[in-house]
Amino acid sequence: MRLRTSQPSGAVSAGGRRDACDLMGPDWTRLTEVTGKDEVFARDLVAREGWAALAGQLGDEEAYTVARSAALMWVRPDAFAAGTARRVLAATAEAGFRPLAVMPVRVDRCAVRILWAYMCRWATAERLMLLDALVALGPGLLVLWADDTGTPASVRMTAVKGRNDPRRRTEGTRTLREVAGAPNRALTMVHTADEPADVVRELAALCTWHDWPEFVAGAATRLRDGDRADLEKALCAVETELPVLGLPPLDAGAAPSVHELYSGPAGKRWAALVAASQTWPLLRRTPGPAAWPEQEERTPWQ
């Protein structure tokens, strides 16, 4: 990746690559169909950092291509704890997606808030505590997938992923969350970026500057060449750190304390986390401010 030289800000090299430290951002209207989201992301430091890294590595036009042609998936620690991560990956491939790049990714409490900053307007403090305990279990698996159908890959991946609330899933539809056995809106097992703008932003949330060159360059090369990334090594690395714990019974017993989610061996913390997902108040009755107009129309209570 090219780092800043004495060039003026915004300068573009002969190869089309911007300075890696350029935080000007792209034309977000090329990456989102959501009214008002382009204006929000233009002010979002994480989104602008994501574009700086992507365009700094690939050049502007190839960065647009990768953002539109790659779907971002993070197979969460709950999928590994429940033992369903491999089924999710297999079902994704069966749905016509091709893996471009993969690596284990461990998320901390700050990344939780960055990753879901715009989606937490209905979240309670208890929901954030639960997510913190979830990511503390171990790493997840970050995968970029290609979709060769011509549709923005992230948009089709969002449809294939399915709803987070089992009661709102279409009966008979085989979504990734159905395959994962995601039992409720807290333990959703798999996260994906909604559209190309989110791919850019969430890469910055989940990757370090050290990770970017090999991960992004490998994805871009495989996208051009029609090749596939090998998932097995990275998958085994996550399974070594977070072995299968099994999904405990989903009974609505006594609500666990916060202490139980953060102390003791992984198996006990996982059991407490599952119990908390069933008993803690995780949704507000009235939401926080909407980031863009479309969010005003959404409610998890309907």
Side-chain angles (χ1 to χ4, degrees), residues 138-149:
L141 192 72
L142 176 63
V143 189
L144 288 183
W145 300 86
D147 175 21
D148 300 319
T149 65

Side-chain angles (χ1 to χ4, degrees), residues 9-120:
S9 178
V12 181
S13 70
R17 289 172 171 77
R18 291 186 177 273
D19 294 333
C21 299
D22 180 1
L23 290 174
M24 292 176 63
D27 176 0
W28 290 107
T29 60
R30 294 179 61 179
L31 298 173
T32 179
E33 297 293 327
V34 179
T35 301
K37 191 172 180 176
D38 58 313
E39 298 176 5
V40 174
F41 274 36
R43 298 188 296 269
D44 186 306
L45 178 61
V46 178
R48 287 159 48 213
E49 182 187 15
W51 182 257
L54 196 61
Q57 181 68 33
L58 303 176
D60 283 6
E61 287 310 311
E62 190 168 15
Y64 281 116
T65 298
V66 169
R68 288 183 57 83
S69 302
L72 179 148
M73 171 187 287
W74 185 53
V75 185
R76 300 174 6 152
D78 41 348
F80 284 93
T84 59
R86 286 182 177 269
R87 295 209 300 265
V88 168
L89 296 170
T92 306
E94 289 169 10
F97 292 91
R98 171 168 52 91
L100 298 174
V102 59
M103 67 178 178
V105 168
R106 183 182 289 274
V107 170
D108 63 15
R109 67 183 303 274
C110 293
V112 164
R113 285 146 184 79
I114 291 170
L115 195 60
W116 287 292
Y118 298 119
M119 298 296 111
C120 280

Side-chain angles (χ1 to χ4, degrees), residues 149-168:
T149 65
T151 304
S154 51
V155 174
R156 192 166 82 86
M157 180 67 83
T158 297
V160 171
K161 174 185 62 178
R163 310 294 284 273
N164 62 359
D165 187 346
R167 295 169 298 181
R168 301 175 72 181

Side-chain angles (χ1 to χ4, degrees), residues 190-207:
V190 57
H191 169 81
T192 67
D194 288 342
E195 59 172 349
D198 298 300
V199 171
V200 173
R201 185 179 184 275
E202 292 179 16
L203 277 171
L206 293 167
C207 296

Side-chain angles (χ1 to χ4, degrees), residues 268-285:
K268 290 189 68 173
R269 287 184 283 126
W270 170 236
L273 198 157
V274 172
S277 76
Q278 296 286 104
T279 56
W280 282 10
L282 303 179
L283 284 176
R284 294 169 54 173
R285 283 289 175 182

